[in-house]
Amino acid sequence: MTSFMPQKRYYRQRAHSNPMAHHEFNYPVCPEEMDWSELYPDFFTGSSSKNGTSQVEFADIGCGYGGLLVELSTLFPDKLILGMEIRVKVSDYVQDRIKSLRESEPGSYQNIACIRSNAMKYLPNFFSKGQLSKIVGYGLVYTNTDVEEVHLWMVKHFTEHPLFTRVTDQELDGDVIVSRLGTCTEEGKKVQRNGGKNFLAVFRRIEDPNFGQEN
Amino acid sequence: MSASVGFCSRWFISTCDRWLVAVDSKQDREPFVFDCSTAEKKPKNPSTDGDEGGAEETRSDRILAFAVSPCGNLVALTDDSKRLILFRCEASSWRCISVRFVVRRCTSLAFSQAEDQLLAADKSGDVYSFSVLNPDQDGELKMGHLSMVLAVTLSLDDRFIITSDRDEKIRVSCLRSPYNIQSFCLGHKQFISALLVPPGHSQRLVSGSGDGTLRLWEFESGRHLQSVDLRDLMDPEKTDNDNEKEKRCGVRGHRCGVRGHCVDHLYSVFTGVLSVLRVSLVQFFSLDQDQLSPHSRLTPPHQPLDVTFDPEGRLWVLMDSDHSPLQIYTHRCGSWQCDTDSPDLTRVSAAFRIHWDKLDASVRTASRFDHLYVVNYDNVSEYMKKKQQRLDQQSQKRNLDQKRRPDAKKMKTPTANS
């Protein structure tokens, strides 16, 4: 069965969805019980030459229409990347898009997938401790927005959090993700068209400075 | 919260509605009675209370939770008027040490082993630490969940704080640095209303949930060791109908009894709702390294409301009865036996009944569980139906077009950038 590329106009949904509402989501009881083979069939079947014990290492929280996922797929072909999107229509679009891309280019785009979920509530259900930390020693969190207040809010909270430290612009020189963050997503392109500014901030997870300091 | 009981050294404690009543179980003396409505009210702060609206918030002075310190000389309680009250029991008298205020109504309290801090978990999911050494100091925000926290406890060495919420999660965090999550204990399918780290089993956690199970964990790693379905323990006669068995069950609480120097038994009061009947049972479990095993069951003469162990390891049961609300059970000759003639029971019952009789029967048994069940709203099916209709229509249209113009060009193949 050939899938045609989904047309965005059938999948439009407003930007905000209440993460505190009790919508029905599918999520595993715990990370050990998650069946990733449905999302990454090539990586989790016996017939594949790829390592069956692969793990998702990158997560795009609020992946929208999947622009970043598609871009990262070819940049990191051996990494499993998961997009999480709370909106019904939008996550459905990404799933349809990935399905269609996989069919049109066999062997490609097998390492990306999207699930409809509430990352705020269910991140610990999907990912075990340290799973997303394999990128550069400890994990990196990339934040990007065109709204300055949101940027300042995120910077404030990550900076105040003892387990994160800001990665300087110097250290980010040459980072492949940074250069694409502002341009490959729907939102990013819209900001470019409107002549808006992109605010980027990257943070690295560090060791607990207070650990072991009991009494 | 319905009526609750506990022990503070030799004092039998009970809370119901807005009263705390403490009765000396070993000596005849005047009980200590505290009425929360007599305590000072939260001062109105125009800058922070502005968002509560112009109308006076309706509040009662009902006690929502209480806790006894490990050494048994401090008691803390929190009420519907957002008070947090600390009492000290020394020599034979009780003293109210401080009345502080919490930001939001609390659900659960726990003292640290060192008795230097009192942890209070609230309805918005936040956990605050209140100093015991400086009893007038304001609470400090320590950590939070995204949904209501229902139970809070600490590891026996005060290294970890363990919290459980309405969203099926148990979180283990470092007490000194609560932003540092040690692990999650994931497995329950409904809210988790009871947590216990049993004395003598410092690596273990027992949890009770609205999904009707008791679970055993190695909490530092989050490893799930065992699940006991309480519905399996219910009497077959009462559950001849499978539908009824599916009805909701919540765990009221865990208590641990100590006899001599070794820990004996856990109990679990299990409240099940079967059609219109409310069934409660007091079930004992024994715990060895990795296994919780059902031990024996009590059938008190009246509906049990709560239970507690006293320092001698006897189990006191509070029941929904006007005339004989209290009963003691002692472990003798391998089983738990009713101790109706105990002088301690007589003494406590006499003093307790004076206050128990004043209460309306309805305040004894308010159910805390029904409103905690999460009802999910399906926002996917409708969309999927419409999508399928759209796809079917498009498919029909394409078939018609092809029949009319079989030589027409096919659609472009999709690329990554479209």
Side-chain angles (χ1 to χ4, degrees):
Chain A
M1 186 189 89
T2 13
S3 314
F4 293 112
M5 194 57 143
Q7 292 170 280
K8 274 187 191 149
R9 63 191 164 107
Y10 294 116
Y11 299 83
R12 288 294 176 199
Q13 188 168 352
R14 58 190 289 268
H16 299 287
S17 178
N18 183 6
M20 300 304 284
H22 294 290
H23 292 141
E24 226 172 80
F25 288 105
N26 289 325
Y27 54 92
V29 164
C30 58
E32 292 76 25
E33 290 190 22
M34 177 63 188
D35 181 8
W36 295 104
S37 66
E38 279 183 26
L39 298 172
Y40 306 99
D42 251 27
F43 280 79
F44 289 90
T45 56
S47 58
S48 167
S49 60
K50 296 188 172 92
N51 187 357
T53 58
S54 305
Q55 283 196 314
V56 173
E57 290 180 48
F58 291 35
D60 184 355
I61 311 295
C63 66
Y65 290 92
L68 184 62
L69 280 179
V70 170
E71 189 88 4
L72 291 179
S73 177
T74 45
L75 277 177
F76 299 93
D78 294 323
K79 299 282 188 195
L80 290 180
I81 310 166
L82 183 72
M84 297 177 86
E85 172 56 51
I86 196 175
R87 292 172 288 174
V88 179
K89 286 180 170 180
V90 180
S91 57
D92 194 43
Y93 172 83
V94 182
Q95 287 166 357
D96 286 348
R97 183 176 179 185
I98 294 174
K99 194 158 141 217
S100 151
L101 285 171
R102 284 176 178 178
E103 281 180 20
S104 69
E105 284 177 58
S108 296
Y109 303 105
Q110 292 293 334
N111 61 334
I112 56 169
C114 173
I115 49 167
R116 184 189 143 254
S117 195
N118 180 339
M120 211 171 77
K121 287 194 189 189
Y122 302 120
L123 215 57
N125 292 76
F126 287 98
F127 301 111
S128 52
K129 188 170 180 173
Q131 184 175 337
L132 295 174
S133 302
K134 293 194 177 72
I135 304 166
V136 185
Y138 276 107
L140 291 173
V141 178
Y142 293 79
T143 71
N144 193 43
T145 177
D146 65 322
V147 180
E148 193 172 7
E149 284 96 334
V150 175
H151 166 72
L152 293 172
W153 184 88
M154 290 194 286
V155 168
K156 174 179 189 294
H157 287 282
F158 271 102
T159 306
E160 284 174 357
H161 198 297
L163 296 180
F164 287 94
T165 188
R166 185 143 186 202
V167 179
T168 62
D169 288 342
Q170 210 178 6
E171 291 169 274
L172 287 172
D173 200 30
D175 184 299
V176 295
I177 295 175
V178 165
S179 54
R180 282 165 171 81
L181 263 184
T183 55
C184 61
T185 62
E186 270 262 312
E187 282 294 314
K189 287 179 187 150
K190 191 163 70 175
V191 168
Q192 276 187 320
R193 279 199 302 273
N194 297 340
K197 258 193 92 173
N198 244 334
F199 298 95
L200 175 78
V202 183
F203 300 89
R204 174 178 291 117
R205 170 59 153 105
I206 56 173
E207 291 256 18
D208 185 1
N210 289 322
F211 195 73
Q213 283 176 21
E214 289 115 46
N215 303 314
Chain B
M1 184 180 91
S2 62
S4 288
V5 293
F7 257 90
C8 181
S9 300
R10 62 176 201 269
W11 292 80
F12 169 82
I13 313 261
S14 91
T15 61
C16 191
D17 196 29
R18 59 184 210 257
W19 287 283
L20 170 98
V21 176
V23 184
D24 190 334
S25 67
K26 293 296 183 189
Q27 271 194 284
D28 291 311
R29 67 171 82 247
E30 196 63 33
F32 172 67
V33 180
F34 187 83
D35 178 353
C36 291
S37 65
T38 61
E40 59 201 85
K41 287 216 181 313
K42 183 173 186 178
K44 271 214 175 291
N45 183 341
S47 56
T48 60
D49 287 350
D51 55 351
E52 280 180 11
E56 177 73 27
E57 207 185 279
T58 46
R59 57 187 72 165
S60 70
D61 301 293
R62 200 165 43 96
I63 296 172
L64 302 175
F66 82 95
V68 178
S69 70
C71 292
N73 37 28
L74 294 168
V75 170
L77 66 79
T78 183
D79 68 16
D80 199 43
S81 292
K82 300 185 186 173
R83 298 182 185 97
L84 182 71
I85 308 179
L86 194 60
F87 301 92
R88 183 179 290 279
C89 172
E90 47 200 4
S92 307
S93 64
W94 285 75
R95 202 163 54 90
C96 171
I97 306 178
S98 74
V99 178
R100 285 177 279 192
F101 295 94
V102 293
V103 179
R104 274 167 285 265
R105 287 173 179 79
C106 292
T107 56
S108 182
L109 300 175
F111 280 96
S112 60
Q113 283 295 122
E115 297 194 2
D116 58 337
Q117 54 184 308
L118 170 69
L119 296 168
D122 72 25
K123 290 193 169 176
S124 70
D126 291 337
V127 181
Y128 286 80
S129 168
F130 284 84
S131 171
V132 173
L133 305 171
N134 299 319
D136 294 312
Q137 198 172 39
D138 278 340
E140 196 192 316
L141 177 63
K142 285 295 193 180
M143 53 164 278
H145 283 231
L146 292 166
S147 75
M148 192 188 295
V149 170
L150 299 172
V152 57
T153 192
L154 291 100
S155 60
L156 300 179
D157 54 9
D158 275 351
R159 276 180 72 215
F160 298 104
I161 170 175
I162 307 170
T163 42
S164 68
D165 67 17
R166 204 178 154 199
D167 264 345
E168 313 145 8
K169 289 189 172 47
I170 297 171
R171 174 177 151 175
V172 182
S173 322
C174 302
L175 181 62
R176 290 250 151 192
S177 46
Y179 50 78
N180 189 350
I181 302 172
Q182 174 65 25
S183 72
F184 281 97
C185 298
L186 301 176
H188 279 298
K189 298 189 165 70
Q190 276 290 349
F191 62 85
I192 299 135
S193 47
L195 294 173
L196 173 73
V197 177
H201 299 267
S202 60
Q203 309 301 311
R204 299 285 175 265
L205 174 74
V206 182
S207 60
S209 158
D211 63 13
T213 64
L214 270 192
R215 288 177 198 250
L216 183 66
W217 314 84
E218 184 190 82
F219 64 83
E220 221 173 305
S221 62
R223 200 158 68 97
H224 182 232
L225 299 173
Q226 187 194 5
S227 177
V228 177
D229 196 331
L230 296 170
R231 285 165 293 194
D232 293 339
L233 298 171
M234 285 168 71
D235 284 333
E237 308 93 66
K238 290 200 174 100
T239 60
D240 29 288
N241 181 342
D242 266 339
N243 278 344
E244 301 204 338
K245 236 190 160 183
E246 281 311 307
K247 290 280 180 5
R248 296 144 165 201
C249 317
V251 178
R252 176 76 172 82
H254 301 294
R255 299 281 188 277
C256 216
V258 184
R259 262 200 317 143
H261 298 290
C262 75
V263 174
D264 254 63
H265 299 290
L266 295 173
Y267 96 88
S268 191
V269 172
F270 158 56
T271 313
V273 181
L274 292 184
S275 55
V276 292
L277 297 172
R278 188 180 296 274
V279 170
S280 291
L281 52 96
V282 181
Q283 175 72 45
F284 282 97
F285 290 86
S286 60
L287 173 66
D288 60 44
Q289 269 308 94
D290 282 350
Q291 187 84 357
L292 268 175
S293 318
H295 191 269
S296 45
R297 191 184 307 175
L298 296 183
T299 42
H302 311 280
Q303 178 90 332
L305 298 173
D306 196 11
V307 312
T308 185
F309 284 98
D310 69 15
E312 291 161 43
R314 295 179 298 185
L315 187 76
W316 292 63
V317 183
L318 175 69
M319 299 171 289
D320 191 6
S321 156
D322 291 328
H323 303 293
S324 3
L326 288 176
Q327 192 56 269
I328 299 186
Y329 292 83
T330 316
H331 195 242
R332 266 198 298 269
C333 314
S335 67
W336 287 88
Q337 294 166 17
C338 210
D339 224 348
T340 29
D341 298 324
S342 155
D344 294 350
L345 176 64
T346 316
R347 175 181 303 118
V348 172
S349 295
F352 177 70
R353 270 203 57 200
I354 295 171
H355 300 277
W356 187 244
D357 288 346
K358 287 191 210 156
L359 298 166
D360 195 57
S362 64
V363 304
R364 300 179 198 157
T365 59
S367 162
R368 347 167 23 217
F369 295 127
D370 296 343
H371 67 285
L372 292 175
Y373 286 92
V374 172
V375 179
N376 283 326
Y377 153 68
D378 176 10
N379 58 346
V380 178
S381 307
E382 195 56 42
Y383 163 71
M384 292 310 246
K385 257 195 285 188
K386 287 188 184 153
K387 180 185 178 188
Q388 194 54 47
Q389 283 173 352
R390 170 171 60 82
L391 291 174
D392 289 341
Q393 278 172 0
Q394 285 176 339
S395 176
Q396 279 177 356
K397 187 169 178 295
R398 267 199 303 280
N399 288 340
L400 281 172
D401 279 349
Q402 289 220 305
K403 281 185 186 151
R404 286 192 207 126
R405 304 185 301 157
D407 301 322
K409 264 200 210 153
K410 291 213 175 93
M411 269 181 73
K412 254 171 59 181
T413 35
T415 61
N417 293 323
S418 49

